[in-house]
Amino acid sequence: MMVIMSRDATDEQIETVVRRIESAGYAAHVLAGATRTAIAVTGNRDPLDPALVDALPGVVETFRITRPFRLATRDARSEDTVFTVGDVTIGGRDLVIVAGPCAVESREQLFDSAEQAKAAGVHLLRGGAYKPRTSPYSFQGLGEEGMKLLAEVRDRTGMPVVSEVVDEESVALAAKYVDVVQIGARNMQNYILLKRAARTGKPVLLKRGVAATLEEFLGAAEYILAEGNSRVILCERGVRTFSDFTRNTLDLSIVPVIKALSHLPIITDPSHASGRRDLVLPLARASIAAGADGVMVEVHTEPARALSDGFQSLYPPQLVEMMRELGQMAPVLGRRLPRRP
Ligand code: PEP
Ligand code: MN
């Protein structure tokens, strides 16, 4: 809580406020300004009742300064969160590349994509089994069959798999079949789902909503952390703006802002951010340059025949090129692009 004193508050009045705060068991920090004095109160776990000091002489107003998210910020933990999924490190010095098709379409398509991704050096394989599509007539994903195929391809290739959950049923399946549970942009503020996903105990890849503010984004992460699951990967996937030549606008500035505010790893998704294959590589480069801990991109063996997001899916050779370029950039930025064992 912050206590603002009137311009003509006396030293004695300020001292009385400080004593009142301290006798209640909190710390008071007197911040003398050019025209008036403010007193910051810390040491409280829960929001303070302003009545503590409201009526004391010289007090003009009080307001809360406690952020609604505590666990997600560096106030709670100053060092970066680093964890592993299988043999892949997320956060810290290592960059992580997540790639794969938008959707799991068939066994053949998934296995081919996985082989290509693995050969390119990708760390985590992505693939949606539950697809939240704009049109109810578009391909909705293979559901449980898709999740099972992901588990099979993980066992075959050794690459941990990431897949989106949309409801209780898919959360239960993801808990059984996948390594990282993805919360899509449309569900970033589905708080019940966030809690359910957190309770799987698996790392959660949390995508930013298309119109989510910084505070809402971290607030969503807070829901997962508050369930006792500390393995959260934030993902900036573009926000909605007036700009009409791309699907969304990659909000790159949120990357360094999150890195300063939060200890959680953050990656970007240049595929959904741009909706354009030709922009994926430049935006991936820019993301890493801005301090992102990795990128997630879509790739398809035959983008023209993809059942979803073909326009933004890389051809496999483009993925190879992206890995090569990010690998070259990494050391310049003090990062490492680990090779798959
Ligand atoms: C996805 O990554 O498959 C996806 C649907 O992305 P988003 O939730 O960011 O739209
Ligand atoms: Mn997609």
Side-chain angles (χ1 to χ4, degrees):
M1 183 167 72
M2 189 71 89
V3 183
I4 308 295
M5 303 299 291
S6 76
R7 280 171 201 278
D8 48 13
T10 63
D11 287 350
E12 199 190 337
Q13 288 171 339
I14 293 169
E15 189 52 35
T16 304
V17 173
V18 168
R19 264 188 276 116
R20 175 68 62 87
I21 292 166
E22 288 176 347
S23 63
Y26 311 118
H29 311 267
V30 177
L31 311 164
T35 55
R36 57 178 56 185
T37 296
I39 302 167
V41 187
T42 60
N44 52 305
R45 282 186 64 84
D46 299 311
L48 284 176
D49 184 349
L52 179 68
V53 293
D54 247 2
L56 292 176
V59 173
V60 178
E61 68 167 323
T62 59
F63 55 86
R64 287 181 57 188
I65 51 170
T66 313
R67 296 193 182 109
F69 33 87
R70 296 168 174 228
L71 300 172
T73 65
R74 291 198 188 267
D75 298 344
R77 183 190 156 90
S78 55
E79 67 279 20
D80 288 347
T81 285
V82 181
F83 55 90
T84 55
V85 183
D87 55 14
V88 177
T89 303
I90 318 270
R93 190 165 169 241
D94 288 357
L95 299 175
V96 65
I97 311 300
V98 188
C102 177
V104 178
E105 299 171 3
S106 69
R107 171 187 296 266
E108 196 193 355
Q109 171 252 10
L110 182 65
F111 278 63
D112 286 353
S113 307
E115 289 305 336
Q116 304 263 17
K118 188 175 179 185
V122 164
H123 306 107
L124 302 177
L125 181 72
R126 62 149 292 145
Y130 289 82
K131 295 305 305 174
R133 305 299 300 280
T134 303
S135 165
Y137 310 116
S138 301
F139 176 60
Q140 303 283 307
L142 296 182
E144 180 167 5
E145 191 196 334
M147 293 263 185
K148 284 185 178 163
L149 287 172
L150 284 163
E152 211 183 308
V153 83
R154 184 255 330 279
D155 294 345
R156 173 88 67 91
T157 61
M159 293 172 86
V161 292
V162 186
S163 201
E164 179 167 354
V165 294
V166 294
D167 58 8
E168 303 243 350
E169 179 191 311
S170 49
V171 169
L173 291 167
K176 200 164 152 197
Y177 294 117
V178 309
D179 304 290
V180 177
V181 175
Q182 179 174 322
I183 298 284
R186 291 155 193 79
N187 276 312
M188 189 207 81
Q189 283 176 299
N190 183 340
Y191 300 119
I192 310 283
L193 185 65
L194 292 175
K195 290 195 224 181
R196 295 279 197 278
R199 285 183 209 147
T200 61
K202 307 236 170 173
V204 179
L205 195 164
L206 176 66
K207 301 193 83 176
R208 181 185 181 186
V210 287
T213 62
L214 170 69
E215 187 168 317
E216 287 163 346
F217 192 16
L218 286 179
E222 188 78 15
Y223 265 87
I224 299 162
L225 299 173
E227 288 299 313
N229 186 339
S230 58
R231 298 192 294 169
V232 177
I233 309 162
L234 301 171
C235 180
E236 158 59 32
R237 46 78 73 210
V239 290
R240 171 116 357 142
T241 69
F242 57 81
S243 196
D244 60 358
F245 61 95
T246 50
R247 184 172 175 183
N248 294 285
T249 298
L250 184 64
D251 182 12
L252 262 189
S253 19
I254 205 165
V255 172
V257 169
I258 294 253
K259 296 296 303 175
L261 260 181
S262 175
H263 49 85
L264 294 172
I266 178 166
I267 65 171
T268 70
D269 173 349
S271 305
H272 290 91
S274 66
R276 290 173 45 165
R277 182 182 305 123
D278 61 326
L279 297 184
V280 171
L281 176 53
L283 293 181
R285 287 192 298 243
S287 299
I288 300 305
D293 297 298
V295 291
M296 170 151 96
V297 298
E298 289 182 338
V299 58
H300 199 285
T301 43
E302 275 185 282
R305 300 181 63 171
L307 297 182
S308 63
D309 289 347
F311 286 121
Q312 66 195 35
S313 298
L314 295 177
Y315 290 98
Q318 293 179 301
L319 178 66
V320 172
E321 175 60 12
M322 185 186 89
M323 297 300 290
R324 193 184 70 76
E325 294 193 20
L326 298 186
Q328 283 188 330
M329 282 178 70
V332 180
L333 298 159
R335 309 298 294 255
R336 210 170 71 96
L337 185 69
R339 287 176 170 280
R340 281 206 64 79

